[in-house]
């Protein structure tokens, strides 16, 4: 027969949830349910949608390779747009990140401004930037390059700044203590230490840029997106299929290569 | 067999005319906590001084205040030819370049080679991309850096990454970087603390030898009392943010110094 053990002070297994947390949970669940209703996603819609999708898929195959040369050409333009925009963005992201980093910024006001810029560039989607630049510089790849550049300043600026903030402060202090300038400290102690992280961020930025550059064409910012939009508009689904497969292969290739480089660096 | 204490083997050469360090009423608090409560201290040119004291008695804070890595609240510091406490930002930078520091952690950049880390020492007197990497540095700078590495016995590790060196080797590279700086005074905060007994002795030996060869003033914090006795001319004990002991090393023994600690803890 077991005796009940009594240990004073032993905390209970569970504590009762507070009234506030019960209310918050109920509200969250209700909102999720409402979201499904609001989006109008219903079984009946799905039932109608699936055959339509099947129909389109069947018209996609076999993919039409007649326009393959043009498609490959636009794909190359898309990739170049991504590379150019990305490189510009990364180069500009570095000084912005230095100004935004807690430990390197020359002044709190400058830091706030740099952070504000990064936040703005990061939170506004690249598609919106593309729309703005199409208006500013006209249709075509330059608008795409600028949109990618701005997006990457936001993306890389944030991660560059974080990497530099996390860098060991020992080497930095040692150089400051021997009288080095701020620039000297940044390039001698901080950049070398952050280099692997910078490269990883840059490769992610490039992957993101390649994926993103496809969509930018849809709003007229140049590249293969334009071809894709035209193919869909003309119900030319078998050409669209070729484009989608080509994009898929390009993105896959870039991801594979950047993955290799990252692995080699770590 | 006669045991020669290094401090005697390398006699101090400096004249005691103007002190290398003169501190008057130095005080520093962090919030409510008073760490330095009016330190008065004078160190002669070419003298080797060991600072001892229990954990948290303000030894590191004192060293950091000397070059204003930590700003003191009150007091005056005269060091070399400057009134440190009066210097503006640009003058402070110039002053710091004359003071070599070795920390408990070597504070080198692990991903860079030993030679590049030593080249960084040149930043005490010049700037620009050619001071960032040994590969970019002018020939004279590379040669001087290599000579500094040779002085600490690590010329064969010049192109090895610091991250792959042992703790003792790294600490010697840090000393080499400090030499590259051509300092006029050396501050060392527990340079022997994270090293094994042999490596710790090597580093202390090296620091004293360098100081004696060039007639530099050396201030070393150490928790190893036998090091404090062996490698200094004078021992200064800190307690509660003040100087509580000041004795020539020749007159001190490890045993007596130990009682300096136990008396304090008992009090
Ligand atoms: N930046 C700081 N902010 C707040 N408190 C600090 C700071 N630096 C030092 N202190 C405090 O000052 C006191 C003295 O520290 P200090 O490092 O000078 O002692 P120490 O004599 O070097 O000790 P140890 O022998 O452990 O190295 C400690 O209580 C420490 O917590
Ligand atoms: Mg300390």
């Amino acid at each position: 027969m077991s005796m009940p053990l009594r240990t004073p002070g032993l905390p209970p297994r569970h504590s009762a949830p507070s009234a506030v947390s019960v209310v918050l949970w109920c509200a969250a669940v209700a909102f999720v349910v409402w979201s499904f209703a609001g989006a109008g996603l219903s079984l009946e819609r799905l039932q109608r949608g699936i055959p339509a999708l099947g129909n389109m898929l069947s018209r996609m195959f076999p993919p039409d390779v007649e326009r393959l040369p043009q498609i490959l050409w636009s794909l190359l333009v898309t990739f170049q747009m991504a590379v150019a925009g990305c490189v510009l963005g990364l180069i500009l992201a570095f000084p912005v990140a230095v100004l935004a980093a807690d430990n390197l910024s020359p002044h709190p006001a400058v830091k706030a401004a740099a952070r504000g810029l990064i936040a703005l560039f990061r939170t506004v989607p690249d598609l919106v930037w593309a729309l703005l630049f199409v208006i500013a510089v006209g249709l075509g790849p330059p608008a795409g390059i600028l949109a990618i550049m701005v997006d990457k300043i936001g993306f890389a600026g944030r991660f560059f700044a974080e990497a530099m903030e996390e860098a060991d402060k020992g080497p930095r202090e040692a150089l400051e203590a021997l009288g080095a300038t701020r620039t000297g400290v940044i390039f001698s102690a901080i950049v070398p230490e952050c280099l692997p992280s910078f490269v990883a961020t840059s490769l992610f930025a490039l992957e993101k840029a390649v994926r993103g550059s496809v969509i930018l064409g849809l709003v007229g910012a140049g590249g293969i997106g334009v071809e894709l939009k035209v193919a869909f508009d003309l119900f030319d689904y078998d050409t669209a299929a070729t484009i989608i497969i080509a994009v898929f292969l390009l993105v896959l290739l870039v991801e594979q290569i950047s993955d290799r480089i990252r692995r080699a660096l770590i | 067999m006669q045991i020669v204490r290094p401090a005697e083997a390398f006699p101090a050469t400096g004249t005691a005319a103007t002190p290398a360090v003169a501190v008057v009423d130095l005080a520093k608090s962090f919030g409510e906590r008073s760490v330095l409560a009016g330190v008065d201290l004078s160190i002669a040119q070419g003298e080797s001084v060991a600072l001892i004291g229990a954990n948290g008695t303000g030894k590191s804070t004192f060293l950091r205040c000397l070059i204003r890595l930590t700003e003191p609240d009150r007091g005056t510091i005269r060091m070399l030819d400057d009134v440190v406490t009066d210097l503006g930002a640009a003058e402070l930078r110039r002053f710091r370049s004359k003071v070599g520091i070795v920390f408990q952690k070597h504070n080198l950049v692990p991903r860079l080679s030993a030679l590049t880390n030593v080249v960084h020492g040149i930043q005490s007197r010049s700037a620009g991309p050619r001071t960032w990497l040994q590969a970019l540095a002018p020939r004279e700078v590379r040669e001087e850096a290599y000579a500094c590495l040779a002085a600490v016995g690590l010329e064969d590790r010049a192109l090895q990454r610091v991250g792959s060196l042992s703790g003792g080797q790294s600490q010697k590279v840090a000393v080499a970087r400090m030499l590259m700086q051509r300092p006029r005074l050396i501050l060392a905060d527990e340079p022997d603390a994270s090293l094994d007994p042999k490596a710790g002795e090597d580093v202390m030996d090296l620091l004293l030898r360098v100081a004696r060869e060039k007639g530099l003033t050396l201030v070393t914090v150490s928790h190893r009392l036998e090091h404090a006795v062996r490698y200094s001319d004078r021992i200064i004990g800190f307690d509660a943010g003040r100087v509580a002991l000041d004795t020539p090393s020749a007159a001190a023994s490890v045993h007596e110094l130990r009682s300096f600690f136990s008396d304090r803890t008992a009090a």
Side-chain angles (χ1 to χ4, degrees):
Chain A
M1 212 182 82
S2 69
M3 291 277 290
L5 287 172
R6 293 265 166 220
T7 310
L10 180 69
R13 270 175 218 282
H14 309 286
S15 43
S18 73
V20 176
S21 76
V22 169
V23 169
L24 285 177
W25 273 106
C26 288
V29 169
F31 188 80
V32 171
V33 171
W34 184 40
S35 301
F36 277 100
L41 185 69
S42 63
L43 263 171
E44 182 238 355
R45 285 279 287 264
L46 274 179
Q47 271 168 355
R48 267 193 292 131
I50 287 170
L53 193 65
N55 178 30
M56 191 182 75
L57 282 177
S58 74
R59 288 175 60 186
M60 278 183 156
F61 284 91
D64 183 357
V65 293
E66 196 198 313
R67 287 178 38 78
L68 195 60
Q70 286 103 308
I71 289 171
L72 288 181
W73 182 250
S74 331
L75 196 65
L76 179 67
V77 171
T78 306
F79 184 61
Q80 288 173 328
M81 209 166 87
V83 170
C86 196
V87 167
L88 278 178
L90 290 170
I91 289 172
L92 293 175
F94 179 73
V96 177
V98 169
L99 297 180
D102 271 330
N103 48 357
L104 300 175
S105 192
H107 192 272
V110 176
K111 184 171 89 178
R115 293 201 165 184
L117 194 73
I118 289 175
L120 177 72
F121 285 1
R122 213 163 47 80
T123 47
V124 177
D126 52 357
L127 205 59
V128 175
W129 291 116
L131 284 167
L132 291 175
F133 284 120
V134 163
I135 294 166
V137 301
L139 292 170
I145 290 176
L146 290 175
I148 291 169
M149 178 190 85
V150 166
D151 193 55
K152 294 311 163 269
I153 293 175
F155 175 79
R158 175 182 169 201
F159 285 107
F160 286 179
E162 272 176 15
M164 291 193 283
E165 282 169 3
E166 281 162 19
D168 183 9
K169 76 178 191 353
R172 201 183 88 218
E173 197 164 69
L175 289 184
E176 278 167 5
L178 65 76
T181 59
R182 184 197 300 270
T183 321
V185 172
I186 291 174
F187 284 99
S188 309
I190 294 174
V191 170
E193 188 153 339
C194 295
L195 213 54
S197 153
F198 284 179
V199 173
T201 298
S202 303
L203 290 169
F204 276 126
L206 182 67
E207 285 175 34
K208 218 165 94 72
V210 171
R211 275 193 303 264
S213 61
V214 175
I215 304 293
L216 298 186
L218 295 180
V219 298
I224 193 135
V226 183
E227 303 270 347
L228 191 62
K229 185 170 181 326
V230 170
F232 271 111
D233 285 351
L234 301 177
F235 305 105
D236 193 359
Y237 293 141
D238 42 5
T239 306
T242 312
I243 296 173
I244 290 170
I245 291 169
V247 167
F248 171 74
L249 291 178
L250 174 69
V251 172
L252 204 65
L253 185 73
V254 171
E255 283 183 358
Q256 291 289 323
I257 292 173
S258 92
D259 214 45
R260 284 270 161 90
I261 299 175
R262 248 196 310 270
R263 230 171 280 219
L265 267 167
I266 292 164
Chain B
M1 196 182 83
Q2 198 199 350
I3 298 168
V4 179
R5 295 197 3 245
E8 287 165 4
F10 306 107
T13 51
T15 52
T18 44
V21 182
V23 174
V24 179
D25 194 29
L26 183 68
K28 175 71 188 175
S29 307
F30 291 107
E32 291 288 278
R33 202 192 145 84
S34 160
V35 177
L36 298 177
V39 175
D40 295 296
L41 186 58
S42 166
I43 298 172
Q45 179 65 44
E47 196 174 23
S48 169
V49 171
L51 286 187
I52 63 169
N55 292 130
T57 44
K59 304 178 298 294
S60 299
T61 305
F62 175 72
L63 289 193
R64 292 173 63 87
C65 282
L66 287 184
I67 55 159
R68 284 176 50 198
L69 276 181
T70 296
E71 284 293 341
D73 297 337
R74 186 183 80 211
T76 24
I77 301 167
R78 280 167 203 282
M79 233 165 126
L80 302 172
D81 321 310
D82 296 285
V83 181
V84 183
T85 31
D86 290 347
L87 299 178
E91 297 162 315
L92 182 63
R93 220 169 70 71
R94 206 173 21 72
F95 161 76
R96 282 177 176 176
S97 70
K98 296 187 281 190
V99 180
I101 305 185
V102 181
F103 301 87
Q104 175 179 348
K105 259 186 66 207
H106 54 72
N107 284 347
L108 303 163
V109 187
R111 291 179 51 80
L112 297 177
S113 67
L115 190 59
T116 290
N117 271 285
V118 177
V119 163
H120 286 169
I122 195 79
Q123 293 188 17
S124 61
R125 54 186 180 280
S126 73
R130 302 196 78 187
T131 66
W132 298 344
L133 290 172
Q134 65 88 11
L136 304 176
R139 217 191 75 187
E140 322 83 73
V141 173
R142 293 185 82 237
E143 270 172 6
E144 185 175 348
Y146 187 73
C148 291
L149 264 185
V152 302
L154 286 176
E155 66 273 38
D156 55 333
R157 304 300 177 118
L159 292 184
Q160 198 171 325
R161 273 189 187 196
V162 165
S164 66
L165 296 175
S166 74
Q169 290 168 332
S170 303
Q171 195 61 288
K172 286 181 185 171
V173 175
V175 173
R177 176 176 65 187
M178 187 271 290
L179 293 178
M180 185 71 190
Q181 199 186 328
R182 298 190 198 151
R184 292 183 45 202
L185 184 149
I186 301 173
L187 305 177
D189 193 356
E190 302 187 40
D192 54 354
S194 42
L195 306 181
D196 69 50
K198 171 76 173 62
E201 242 160 66
D202 284 353
V203 166
M204 294 296 291
D205 242 7
L206 181 64
L207 284 173
L208 186 69
R209 184 159 49 83
V210 165
R212 289 299 199 234
E213 271 169 13
K214 305 189 171 171
L216 309 178
T217 311
L218 174 65
V219 182
T220 318
V221 173
S222 181
H223 283 300
R224 298 203 192 158
L225 296 176
E226 68 278 13
H227 284 183
V229 173
R230 270 186 74 179
Y231 296 101
S232 69
D233 305 312
R234 179 177 163 204
I235 297 175
I236 290 172
F238 268 44
D239 185 49
R242 281 204 181 83
V243 174
L245 172 89
D246 190 343
T247 173
S249 314
S253 73
V254 171
H255 182 74
E256 284 163 10
L257 293 178
R258 222 174 276 293
S259 69
F260 167 71
F261 283 88
S262 47
D263 288 353
R264 305 284 143 182
T265 17

